Amino acid sequence: MAGAYVRTAIMLALGCALAIAADALEPSGWVRAHATFYGGSDASGTMGGACGYGNLYAQGYGTRTTALSTALFSDGGACGQCYKVVCDRKTDKTWCKPGVSVTVTATNFCPPNWDLPSDKGGWCNPPRPHFDMAQPAWEKIGVYRGGIIPIIYQRVPCVKKGGVRFTISGHDYFELVLPTNVAAAGSIRAMDVRGSKSGDWMAMAHNWGANWHSLAYLNGQGLSFRVTITDGQTLVFSDVVPPSWRFGQTFSSNLQFK
């Protein structure tokens, strides 16, 4: 997040993976949709967004990102998921670039426009699956003047460098935790937190976008997180946050989903 003071906590050997329904995500079948673009040629207009990732450059998502329509966004449940996108030249040879694909991460929501029909401007209206991609990503597969292109897409495993990171915002009795740099399925199914003094695992609730929250008082405690992603893999990030943590800080682990 902008202005966040970043600290790195090295994971100890206590961090372990739990094999709970841990079938790694396999690429899905190909699905037809359409894609537009936004954010400008440098993608600066894509910062922030409905997933809460903030500065996408700083978070490592870069310009290969997309906003998803209601049909795909799942109230933030799709945040962090990765999609391989190809322009459908069988449908439109004029505006599709041949022989190329691009992989994008879901970082934003493309809201409906109820004032326009779904086939004439209301591209993100339900039940249409639609990608509003960062312009640099879109231009990898489409010709700028086309504006909107037919695509085929499939969900694919996310590939990340380094471990999962956790940003803690909020205030006393309200810890808002943002996991980022999540590989494999990319999106989170469940999170639990454990304080070094409290001892027991406590379930966290999905708040908004990619953010999860706890209503416990955890100040002055080292924190561990147990994270289950949407392909069923679970990892325990033991003592990833030291007792000296403060709101606004980000902590990196050395564990990553496969």
Side-chain angles (χ1 to χ4, degrees), residues 31-170:
V31 182
R32 295 187 183 276
H34 285 80
T36 48
F37 61 84
Y38 78 114
S41 59
D42 61 355
S44 59
T46 65
M47 301 298 111
C51 289
Y53 292 133
N55 187 322
L56 300 178
Y57 299 148
Q59 294 285 22
Y61 296 105
T63 63
R64 299 294 188 261
T65 63
T66 188
L68 299 177
S69 63
T70 302
L72 297 173
F73 190 67
S74 300
D75 292 325
C79 288
Q81 293 180 0
C82 295
Y83 298 86
K84 185 177 182 179
V85 183
V86 178
C87 194
D88 186 4
R89 280 180 57 82
K90 291 182 179 180
T91 303
D92 189 343
K93 292 184 178 180
T94 302
W95 305 119
C96 288
K97 294 180 180 179
V100 290
S101 66
V102 64
T103 298
V104 292
T105 302
T107 59
N108 204 355
F109 173 56
C110 182
N113 183 346
W114 301 115
D115 294 329
L116 296 174
S118 60
D119 61 350
K120 193 173 291 186
W123 310 122
C124 291
N125 294 354
R128 288 177 64 107
H130 188 87
F131 289 69
D132 196 20
M133 299 166 62
Q135 184 176 332
W138 189 94
E139 287 196 83
K140 293 290 291 184
I141 59 172
V143 178
Y144 177 82
R145 288 181 298 165
I148 180 171
I149 53 175
I151 62 168
I152 56 174
Y153 72 91
Q154 63 175 180
R155 188 177 168 195
V156 296
C158 299
V159 178
K160 303 296 181 184
K161 295 180 179 179
V164 178
R165 298 188 292 268
F166 300 90
T167 299
I168 306 176
S169 304

